[in-house]
């Protein structure tokens, strides 16, 4: 039984990032967490081990990462909103099953509290080095959604959004936190329970028990229809849908291309709803900063100082990092003489995406950082150089 | 932007992290200012060298601390162990009329070379006072919190007291409030002396 009384009281709370993410999950109706502790994500399992039973949920520490992700999928298949949290090395171990989750259209939320790598790396240092890994986190071709919060409030809010996206689009949804953000303490403003309930998408049984249980393209409209997920152990459970590409009824399809197209297009055709972005002083900007996560915070100050110096610079912020919003970025950088991409990694995964979108016609300047995030001066220096 | 950067350093278990959280809570929850807190991770916080940092912006219009790390020179530095005192230099503190204060505990730090060269350095034998006056070392935190509240002037005394009420077990509240008052008085006297010295 879910006890409504045990949800966090509305109002302001001082919270650690990892706790804010956990509370966001509870608010969204998560009733199952399967995970294996790993720095810097451990506070998530620690917090949920205490809190989930209080709201009628279950938190299981599994024997390893593979068991954790499988437990999450299993829980989701029987009707629970489920989540796991880990860091880079854990994502590597879980990758085996993530693609199966995408294949079976199982909704779940994956919190990646990113740390420095490769391999063991510097375990307590932030590093957005899983941003590419999350996008390509399994064998085969499938589309995931990834969200990048930049403060504790967003860790709470976007976790709710992540659960909604998982339910609505039936795909793995990644929350790309990091070691610094996960351990940062900030005030989080919790809405009232009524407001939250209005926002969240509940897991409901499909209206028609004999109807289609998997996504399909409606031939009359050409649009993708994503039905509620089937729930095993009820009459809604399709007889056979494992291991092979399946059609909308859950039965194997002889047309792999139709299935393949559906897995990707059901998400990329809904970019209007999925792609969350923000802009800052962008209207008349001829230098555009494209960024996500923590470096955006430093960019604010850099832009403010540069503006005082008469440099027309603005920010285009990606909240939804994947699928990459090609069209929106194209519009944002249309009149730019240069694009600056401060990224908390060495290779510039998102910078490469910007280069792809601009077809290399506009210079894209990377500001790489490893295991520590940008000081506003790091960004300001580049803005001044570009403006010369 | 009226940004204050605070660093507290000592060893794990001394209350370094608790004090930083109290400062953050008073500033953000009760004073309504944007604030962030970060702390030493895991093993370091349990017996090893421990630190915590708080960034607060006194400007009510600032909704988010853009860069959440505290960097040298700090506005306030609280040093509680000899090990953390060993690498402190006078230029760790900001040169400013309203800030640039050091608070340290001579009952845990025997050698603090730089302290002599820091004019705005307030030494309070926190651990000694806590044991002598209140019978338990844990009350040291409220003494420090009182002194900081007075020196910094970032948040009101009301916000500070509300924070203590939120933080401590109810049966120790009165003692904690006394400890807070003691720290506050130490800071008031110190500020008075400092002002006289300048004249």
């Amino acid at each position: 039984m879910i006890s409504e009384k045990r949800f966090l009281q509305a109002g302001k709370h001082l919270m650690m990032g990892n706790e804010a993410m956990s509370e966001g999950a509870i608010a969204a109706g998560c009733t199952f967490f399967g995970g294996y502790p790993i720095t810097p994500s451990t506070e998530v399992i620690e917090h949920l081990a205490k809190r989930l039973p209080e709201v009628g949920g279950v938190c299981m520490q599994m024997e390893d990462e593979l068991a954790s992700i499988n437990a999450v999928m299993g829980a989701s298949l029987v009707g629970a909103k489920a989540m796991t949290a880990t860091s880079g090395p854990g994502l590597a171990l879980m990758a085996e099953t993530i693609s199966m989750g995408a294949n079976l259209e199982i909704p779940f939320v994956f919190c990646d509290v990113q740390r420095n790598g490769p391999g063991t790396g510097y375990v307590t240092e932030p590093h957005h080095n899983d941003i590419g890994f999350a996008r390509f986190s399994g064998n085969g071709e499938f589309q995931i959604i990834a969200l990048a919060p930049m403060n504790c409030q967003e860790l709470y809010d976007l976790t709710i959004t992540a659960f909604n996206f998982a339910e609505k689009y039936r795909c793995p949804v990644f929350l790309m936190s990091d070691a610094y953000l996960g351990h940062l303490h900030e005030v989080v403003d919790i809405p009232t329970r009524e407001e939250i309930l209005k926002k969240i998408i509940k897991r409901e049984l499909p209206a028609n028990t004999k109807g289609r249980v998997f996504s399909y393209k409606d031939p009359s409209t050409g649009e993708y229809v994503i039905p509620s997920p089937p729930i095993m152990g009820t009459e809604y459970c399709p007889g056979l849908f494992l291991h092979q590409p399946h059609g909308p009824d859950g039965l194997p399809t002889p047309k792999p291309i139709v299935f393949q197209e559906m897995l990707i297009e059901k998400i990329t055709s809904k970019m209007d709803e999925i792609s969350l972005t923000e802009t800052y002083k962008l209207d008349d900007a001829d230098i555009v900063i494209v960024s996500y996560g923590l470096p955006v915070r430093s960019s604010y100050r850099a832009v403010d100082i540069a503006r005082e110096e008469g440099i027309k610079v603005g920010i285009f912020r990606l909240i939804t990092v994947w699928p990459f919003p090609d069209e929106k970025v194209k519009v944002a950088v249309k009149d730019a003489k240069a694009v600056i991409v401060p990224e908390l990694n060495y290779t510039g995964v998102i910078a490469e995406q910007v280069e792809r979108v601009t077809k290399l016609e506009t210079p894209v300047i990377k500001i790489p950082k490893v295991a520590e995030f940008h000081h506003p001066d790091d960004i300001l220096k580049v803005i001044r150089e570009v403006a010369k | 932007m009226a940004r204050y950067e605070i660093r507290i350093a000592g060893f794990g278990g001394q209350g370094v992290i608790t004090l930083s959280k109290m400062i953050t809570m008073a500033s953000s929850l009760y004073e309504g200012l944007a604030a962030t807190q970060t702390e030493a991770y895991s093993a370091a916080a349990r017996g090893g060298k421990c630190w915590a940092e708080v960034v607060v912006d006194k400007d009510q219009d600032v909704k988010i601390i853009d860069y959440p790390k505290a960097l040298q020179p700090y506005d306030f530095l609280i040093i509680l162990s000899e090990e953390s005192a060993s690498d402190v230099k006078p230029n760790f503190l900001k040169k400013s009329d309203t800030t640039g204060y050091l608070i340290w505990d001579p009952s845990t730090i025997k050698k603090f070379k730089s302290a002599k060269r820091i004019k705005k350095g307030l030494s309070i034998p926190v651990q000694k006072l806590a044991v002598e006056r209140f019978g338990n070392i844990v009350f040291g935190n409220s003494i420090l919190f009182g002194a900081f509240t007075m020196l910094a002037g970032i948040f009101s005394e009301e916000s500070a007291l509300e924070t203590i009420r939120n933080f401590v077990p109810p049966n120790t509240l009165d003692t904690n409030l006394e400890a807070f008052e003691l720290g506050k008085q130490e800071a008031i006297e110190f500020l008075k002396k400092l002002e006289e010295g300048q004249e």
Side-chain angles (χ1 to χ4, degrees), chain A residues 270-290:
Chain A
K270 307 271 168 58
M271 283 300 274
D272 291 350
E273 295 165 34
I274 295 169
S275 171
L276 308 173
T277 55
E278 259 176 18
T279 61
Y280 183 69
K281 300 190 176 176
L282 192 67
D283 289 347
D284 62 341
D286 56 16
I287 300 170
V288 177
I289 294 175
V290 177

Side-chain angles (χ1 to χ4, degrees), chain B residues 21 24 27 32 46-47 49 70 85 95 103 123 138 142 149 158 167-169 180 182 188 193 195:
Chain B
K21 282 185 185 164
T24 317
S27 315
R46 296 179 189 108
K49 215 173 175 179
K95 284 188 177 58
I103 305 176
S123 68
V138 295
S142 289
T149 306
E158 243 165 76
F167 248 91
V168 305
F180 177 85
L182 177 70
I188 292 174
K193 269 185 209 159
E195 210 172 296

Side-chain angles (χ1 to χ4, degrees), chain A residues 12-14 16 39-40 43 124 150-151 180 183-187 297-298 300-301 372-376, chain B residues 1 3 5 21 24-25 28-29 32-33 35-39 41 53 64-71:
Chain A
K12 288 182 172 166
H13 296 257
L14 182 62
M16 181 192 260
T39 300
E43 291 82 6
T124 58
M150 67 169 184
N151 56 37
Y180 197 84
H183 293 141
L184 188 70
H185 284 76
E186 272 180 321
V187 164
R297 293 174 72 142
S298 300
Y300 286 143
R301 198 197 303 177
E372 60 169 336
F373 61 99
H374 308 68
H375 187 275
Chain B
M1 204 166 80
R3 194 179 154 103
E5 304 189 3
K21 282 185 185 164
T24 317
M25 186 176 269
S28 58
L29 275 190
L33 304 170
T36 56
Q37 183 265 9
T38 37
E39 60 194 37
Y41 193 72
E53 292 174 348
I64 181 171
I65 299 289
D66 48 22
Y67 182 72
K69 266 188 192 174
L71 297 176

